[in-house]
């Protein structure tokens, strides 16, 4: 009987991919419950129902796993946003919508929000893809005269720092109605938009983010 080596190899790769995803999903659940610092490799392998040796086949260190978890969570959101936010949308609107989309996801999925926030508090820091995307949007706004030409490192710190506090307020039930819209409007004003324009864009972007999230749920339902 002829052995289909290509089919066998493809099946093996598929099993490997499934095991890796199982480890990542288990890690999200464990980190959401215990936090990244308290979680151990034993917790991850038990939740994924794999051996310790299998874990090391995919992730040589716990830090490698944490990086992969963070990338999985952020990439999932980025893919959705990239599909709904073409470059034809002005930079200020895109930036505001990305912020509101993050806040909306935290509100609808607190477990996701806690995992992301706890990972951001570790030595892993921010993802390079997020910084590159943010820098690109801000520079587009500067080039079109919408944003002030500010130090990019300071801009990143303001946005990421503010977002982390808003995320914390949402998760702890401290965000009053309209809080996210007001915060995003303040950020846009800081970057150079007139207050009324900033408020309008923030409100419209919040609605756009809600629509994007609803469409994303329909596709995955």
């Amino acid at each position: 009987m002829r052995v289909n080596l290509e089919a066998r190899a493809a099946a093996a790769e598929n099993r490997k991919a499934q095991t890796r995803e199982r480890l990542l999903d288990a890690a999200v659940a464990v980190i959401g419950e215990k936090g990244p610092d308290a979680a151990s490799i034993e917790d991850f392998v038990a939740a994924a129902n794999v051996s310790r040796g299998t874990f090391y086949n995919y992730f040589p260190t716990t830090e490698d796993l944490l990086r992969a978890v963070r990338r999985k969570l952020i990439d999932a959101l980025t893919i959705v946003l990239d599909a709904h936010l073409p470059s034809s949308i002005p930079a200020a609107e895109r930036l505001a919508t990305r912020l509101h989309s993050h806040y909306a996801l935290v509100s609808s999925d607190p477990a996701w929000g806690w995992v992301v926030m706890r990972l951001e508090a570790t030595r892993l820091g921010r993802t390079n893809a997020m910084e590159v995307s943010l820098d690109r949007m801000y520079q587009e706004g500067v080039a079109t005269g919408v944003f002030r030409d500010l130090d990019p490192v300071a801009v990143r710190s303001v946005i990421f720092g503010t977002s982390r506090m808003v995320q914390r307020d949402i998760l702890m039930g401290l965000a009053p109605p309209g809080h996210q819209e007001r915060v995003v409007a303040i950020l846009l004003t800081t970057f150079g938009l007139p207050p009324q324009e900033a408020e309008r864009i923030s409100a419209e972007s919040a609605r756009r983010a809600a629509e994007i999230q609803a469409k994303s749920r329909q596709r995955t339902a």
Side-chain angles (χ1 to χ4, degrees):
M1 182 175 66
R2 184 178 178 182
V3 178
N4 190 329
L5 296 179
E6 290 185 0
R8 179 175 293 180
E13 286 300 316
N14 185 51
R15 287 194 298 272
K16 287 175 62 178
Q18 290 178 348
T19 300
R20 187 177 189 277
E21 283 302 305
R22 191 161 74 246
L23 276 164
L24 291 177
D25 290 339
V28 170
V30 171
I31 294 169
E33 178 183 351
K34 295 188 172 184
D37 295 327
S40 66
I41 292 178
E42 286 73 18
D43 294 323
F44 298 137
V45 299
N49 193 28
V50 300
S51 68
R52 194 180 181 95
T54 297
F55 175 91
Y56 286 123
N57 285 337
Y58 292 87
F59 304 105
T61 68
T62 302
E63 188 167 285
D64 291 321
L65 173 65
L66 295 180
R67 285 198 181 94
V69 167
R70 184 184 58 180
R71 189 178 304 114
K72 173 184 173 69
L73 296 174
I74 298 301
D75 284 354
L77 177 60
T78 300
I79 289 172
V80 171
L81 293 179
D82 285 347
H84 292 87
L85 292 174
S87 57
S88 57
I89 296 177
E93 280 83 344
R94 268 186 291 146
L95 176 59
T97 303
R98 282 183 176 269
L99 292 173
H100 278 300
S101 294
H102 184 88
Y103 303 151
L105 186 52
V106 171
S107 298
S108 64
D109 190 352
W112 184 93
W114 278 117
V115 170
V116 171
M117 191 168 77
R118 285 171 170 170
L119 289 176
E120 288 175 348
T122 67
R123 61 184 179 277
L124 297 177
R126 302 188 294 252
T127 62
N128 182 63
M130 291 173 63
E131 293 191 351
V132 169
S133 176
L134 172 64
D135 288 348
R136 185 184 302 115
M137 280 186 287
Y138 195 84
Q139 289 306 314
E140 286 178 18
V142 171
T144 56
V146 175
F147 292 148
R148 292 192 292 159
D149 190 3
L150 302 173
D151 176 66
V153 177
V155 169
R156 285 186 220 134
S157 294
V158 169
I159 292 178
F160 283 111
T162 301
S163 293
R164 180 169 173 76
M165 288 305 299
V166 173
Q167 183 172 327
R168 174 185 173 278
D169 289 343
I170 294 171
L171 292 171
M172 297 188 70
L174 301 176
H179 181 61
Q180 293 91 307
E181 289 187 22
R182 288 189 289 272
V183 170
V184 172
I186 290 172
L187 280 176
L188 295 177
T189 302
T190 300
F191 297 151
L193 274 72
Q196 287 187 338
E197 180 70 1
E199 291 172 4
R200 180 189 65 78
I201 289 176
S202 180
E204 291 179 356
S205 297
R207 289 191 290 271
R208 184 186 294 117
E211 292 172 358
I212 291 173
Q213 187 179 60
K215 292 178 181 177
S216 178
R217 284 179 174 173
Q218 290 174 357
R219 287 195 179 92
T220 56

